[in-house]
Every structure is written in structure tokens, then in C-alpha cells.
Amino acid sequence: MKTKDFFYDLPKELIAQDPIEKRDHARLLVLDKGSGEVLHKYFYDIVDELMPGDCLILNDSRVLPARIFGVREGSDTTVEFLLLTQKAPNIWEALARPGKKAKVGAKFSFGGDAMFGEVLDVLPDGNRIVKFDCEENFYSALEKIGKMPLPHYITHELIDCERYQTVYSRELGSVAAPTAGLHFTDDLLKKIKAKGVKIGFVTLHVGLGTFRPVKVADVLDHKMHAEHYEVPPHTATLIADTKKAGGRVVAVGTTSCRTLEAMFKEFGNVTPCEGWTDIFIYPGFKFKVIDALITNFHLPESTLIMLVSAFAGRDAVLSAYQTAVAEKYRFFSFGDAMFIR
């Protein structure tokens, strides 16, 4: 299976640079994975696509303002750090740019003197292990000095940082938003509940894999980076009860999908759990938990379009993407959505 098999042409002007004014007014392409039928709707129409007895599983991870800029001690050199994974209290794995200015032992000040950091180690892949020190709570300091880590393809400045958070985000830890959830509003969630659809939450902190493209020719040679996930007891019970009653488990986003399928792969059933997963889902994968998927439009040759292709079939997905391009849908993080049923 070749990475190039998941390529498609995308005009640059279709990459959404800004959030749509009203979250739930994004367009929604509905793909029936059985028949291949494609329908064109708006995201607020998702209420009509969900059925009483279904359960909707959302990722409640919240994006950290994980881009911080440090001035190296004894110089005026500025280095950008992107926090990736917390290793211990106030110790993080991070990307550093330019890396040559962040050698072991280098010390930095952030936000004036709001925070200090020291590079403890350089990992084989070039990531840094950095220890931070500040008088106040680390996350409080980060809220003051950090910036949102928007994907590289978004060049516009984000005016309202809450637009890169879902309305239900609460567990700090991601370096990118679970973007399929950006389309939901509180009012839309109320309408979904009123229809008899149950809502459950999982947590998967989106990590380094989001920023790293597939660089190998053969899909099977790609290695995913591990991300921390949690399935709480209430959600596990909700999923099990939904399955028993014949309802559908609808995952919101590839992160929710990966969390649920990682749970089943690890434990062989639906159960409360937490841990780290590097699950890589590509065509041939046998889904055990999810029955439908809400997702955005993903980058060509990415692990995310591979996951969607595993769920709906590569040919059907690429055909739907071609239709979306022809219909001038908006792509990627701030773009439009798909519902695959």
C-alpha cells in the first residue's frame, strides 16, 4: 500500500484560513459508505442524520497555548518552543526552532521573567526535553505567554483563540484541536440530546503526529507517535448499552475514533481505561466500535485520510473529495465537514 495512493489535487484557495462566522453553518458532505451516495447539507443538519438511540462520542481535549518564545540567557537569540508532551511536572518534550540554538544546558526566559526553562536533553529525533520554572502555576503562566499552535497551512492570525477550541473542551493537553468538533454549538448539542441521542466524552491529547507528514513511500513503514487517551466509566457504559440496544456509535473526529478503536485493540472489549496509543488505522483495519464518523477534510497522503479511507473505502473517499473540490468546499482545520454513515 503506497502513500501516493492517498493523494488528491487541492487548489490552495480551498484551504480555509479563518473559522466560519457561525460554527454550525459549515457545509456538510454526507457519504453513505454502503452505496457511495453523496449528499450536500449544512452542519446543523447533523441533527437529521442522527437517530434516537445513537450515541455521539466527543473528544473533550483542550488545546494548550503551546507555542512559546524564549530568549537565550546571555544573548538576544529567540527560540520558538512547541510543547508536545508532559513528561513530569514542569518537564516537557518540545520542538525547538532553530534547534541549534537550544543545546543541552541552554537556559531561556519566557515572557520577560514570567517563566524560565533549561534544555535537559536532545532526543534522537531532535526533540528537546525542557524543564520549566515559574512562580505561579505552570498552566496559568502558559495562558499568559503562549500562543495557539495553528497548523502550518493557516497563515492568517487567529483573532479569537476560542475558535480553535471546541465548546465542550475541558481537559488541557493537546497541541492541535480535534477539529471535527469545532462545528458544534451548545444549542446544536441540546437539539441532538432532545432527539434522544446520548452524548459521551473521551479524551485524546493530540500530539506530534498531527505535525508530521507521512514521508515513507510504503504506508506500512510509517510510525505513529503515541498520544495519551482516556475512556471514562460513563462513556464505556454508554457505548456498551448503545451497542446492546442496536444503536450506532458515532465518533466525532479521527481522535475519538482512534481512542475507541485503541481501547478495543488493547483490551478486547469496551471498558474504562487510559493509557498511550500509537494505533495506526489504514485500509484493511477492522473497526470494532464505531458505526459512523463525523470528520473534516484532511490533507493528501496524511494518516487521517488513510483512517477515513479505512472506514469508508479509499475509492469512495477520494471520489467524495473530488466532489468536494468541484463544489468548492472549504478544507482542513477551519473547513467544512463530512458525515460518513
Side-chain angles (χ1 to χ4, degrees):
M1 191 182 309
K2 301 301 180 183
T3 301
K4 66 181 181 181
D5 294 338
F6 299 90
F7 178 81
Y8 66 93
D9 285 311
L10 179 68
K12 190 174 182 179
E13 62 268 21
L14 295 185
I15 300 174
Q17 292 295 321
D18 303 288
I20 193 168
E21 183 178 351
K22 295 182 178 180
R23 289 178 183 258
D24 61 354
H25 281 53
R27 296 170 74 184
L28 178 69
L29 185 149
V30 179
L31 171 62
D32 188 298
K33 63 187 180 74
S35 66
E37 179 186 19
V38 168
L39 301 174
H40 302 287
K41 298 188 176 187
Y42 289 91
F43 196 81
Y44 51 72
D45 294 321
I46 196 68
V47 178
D48 301 326
E49 292 293 328
L50 300 173
M51 304 298 174
D54 287 348
C55 72
L56 194 67
I57 305 299
L58 307 164
N59 180 9
D60 63 6
S61 184
R62 185 168 175 82
V63 185
L64 291 163
R67 290 178 64 218
I68 56 176
F69 297 84
V71 178
R72 195 175 67 180
E73 185 180 79
S75 74
D76 58 359
T77 300
T78 297
V79 174
E80 177 184 348
F81 291 87
L82 175 61
L83 305 181
L84 299 173
T85 306
Q86 186 176 14
K87 297 297 186 179
N90 288 11
I91 297 179
W92 286 76
E93 180 178 347
L95 292 174
R97 186 171 59 182
K100 63 183 180 180
K101 302 295 184 179
K103 298 179 180 179
V104 173
K107 296 180 179 180
F108 297 85
S109 61
F110 301 86
D113 291 335
M115 184 186 296
F116 299 92
E118 180 180 356
V119 179
L120 300 182
D121 195 11
V122 178
L123 302 180
D125 60 3
N127 292 349
R128 268 58 179 173
I129 299 297
V130 185
K131 182 179 180 180
F132 295 97
D133 181 44
C134 52
E135 289 188 3
E136 62 181 315
N137 175 273
F138 175 80
Y139 291 103
S140 298
L142 194 61
E143 287 288 345
K144 295 176 182 177
I145 67 173
K147 293 189 175 184
M148 278 294 168
L150 294 178
H152 65 87
Y153 49 77
I154 294 177
T155 58
H156 291 188
E157 183 178 354
L158 182 62
I159 304 301
D160 179 5
C161 289
E162 281 301 308
R163 292 306 308 271
Y164 196 56
Q165 305 279 16
T166 63
V167 297
Y168 47 80
S169 65
R170 57 192 177 196
E171 299 291 339
L172 268 174
S174 281
V175 296
T179 54
L182 295 179
H183 305 292
F184 287 93
T185 65
D186 290 328
D187 185 59
L188 185 59
L189 289 170
K190 289 177 182 176
K191 291 178 180 178
I192 289 169
K193 289 179 182 178
K195 190 170 182 179
V197 177
K198 303 292 187 182
I199 294 178
F201 295 94
V202 296
T203 303
L204 183 137
H205 292 315
V206 187
L208 181 62
T210 296
F211 293 89
R212 291 224 164 139
V214 179
K215 295 183 177 180
V216 293
D218 191 320
V219 169
L220 301 184
D221 291 334
H222 180 70
K223 173 64 175 174
M224 297 286 285
H225 283 75
E227 296 165 312
H228 189 264
Y229 74 97
E230 180 178 359
V231 180
H234 173 269
T235 300
T237 299
L238 173 60
I239 293 170
D241 290 347
T242 299
K243 289 285 191 183
K244 289 177 184 177
R248 295 180 301 174
V249 176
V250 182
V252 176
T254 57
T255 59
S256 295
C257 170
R258 291 181 66 240
T259 299
L260 298 180
E261 297 300 332
M263 167 195 67
F264 201 96
K265 181 181 179 183
E266 178 70 19
F267 299 99
N269 57 15
V270 177
T271 186
C273 57
E274 69 172 308
W276 293 82
T277 181
D278 60 358
I279 189 171
F280 182 16
I281 299 176
Y282 50 84
F285 182 86
K286 302 300 182 184
F287 290 84
K288 301 294 187 180
V289 183
I290 77 164
D291 303 296
L293 176 65
I294 296 171
T295 187
N296 277 18
F297 292 94
H298 303 295
L299 276 72
E301 299 183 341
S302 65
T303 61
L304 303 182
I305 195 172
M306 294 173 190
L307 183 154
V308 174
S309 296
F311 187 65
R314 186 185 72 93
D315 291 345
V317 167
L318 291 181
S319 177
Y321 270 53
Q322 289 174 353
T323 298
V325 169
E327 295 291 330
K328 299 191 183 306
Y329 275 67
R330 301 165 73 247
F331 278 67
F332 305 162
S333 293
F334 287 141
D336 296 317
M338 291 182 72
F339 177 56
I340 305 175
R341 64 189 187 191

